[in-house]
Amino acid sequence: MEVHLELEVEIPGFRSEPWATRLKRAIIELGLPDDTELAVRLVSDASIRTLNRDHRGKDAATDVLSFPMYEADELAALLAGDQPRDPGPLLLGDLVVSWETCNRQAEHYGHGLEREFGFLLAHGLLHLVGDDHQTPEEEGAMRDRQRKLLDLWDLGLESA
């Protein structure tokens, strides 16, 4: 299982190992195979704005973007064994987080930076595995799964 964290922005004291470990625990919790790979990039508002504009047609910075390798039904079929997998690791996709927006949101919501970053990672990871929040039902289910991941990482509401 591989989790790659890449820092585009300078973040003094940032340690990627605990986050890689947390993401690996989440991958197991979500029932993904042991050979799952995931990439996470921490970028500036300017970089995420460019990605958001180029890939989603929204010319604004955002907090997290998910770039899944599979559509939800395709991933489900692969995991169920209904569709053959290519040899090698399961490349889940990429998460891109704006560190600047993460900082602002942590301050705005009145909780720690670690909690906000964990929330953004959980949210983005769930998008990679096919969760969405287009309807109230989807939003509620996704929120519950986000809470479970935050609790798994010891970043639940009581740690806010």
Side-chain angles (χ1 to χ4, degrees), residues 70-82:
Y70 303 98
E71 295 293 327
D73 56 344
E74 184 181 10
L75 180 61
L78 283 171
L79 296 177
D82 298 337

Side-chain angles (χ1 to χ4, degrees), residues 75-151:
L75 180 61
L78 283 171
L79 296 177
D82 298 337
Q83 184 173 326
R85 258 184 66 189
D86 291 333
L90 175 71
L91 303 176
L92 193 57
D94 296 339
L95 296 178
V96 181
V97 176
S98 168
W99 192 249
E100 293 166 305
T101 298
C102 181
N103 276 274
R104 281 194 309 275
Q105 289 179 175
E107 186 175 317
H108 174 77
Y109 293 121
H111 54 237
L113 182 57
E114 184 176 54
R115 168 71 165 66
E116 183 65 18
F117 186 55
F119 175 84
L120 295 177
L121 288 180
H123 187 87
L125 179 60
L126 290 174
H127 276 303
L128 291 182
V129 298
D131 284 24
D132 211 341
H133 44 82
Q134 298 300 314
T135 67
E137 294 79 18
E138 288 176 342
E139 184 175 1
M142 190 170 180
R143 187 178 304 117
D144 289 344
R145 286 173 47 114
Q146 286 169 172
R147 275 192 207 107
K148 286 179 184 174
L149 291 178
L150 290 171
D151 289 343

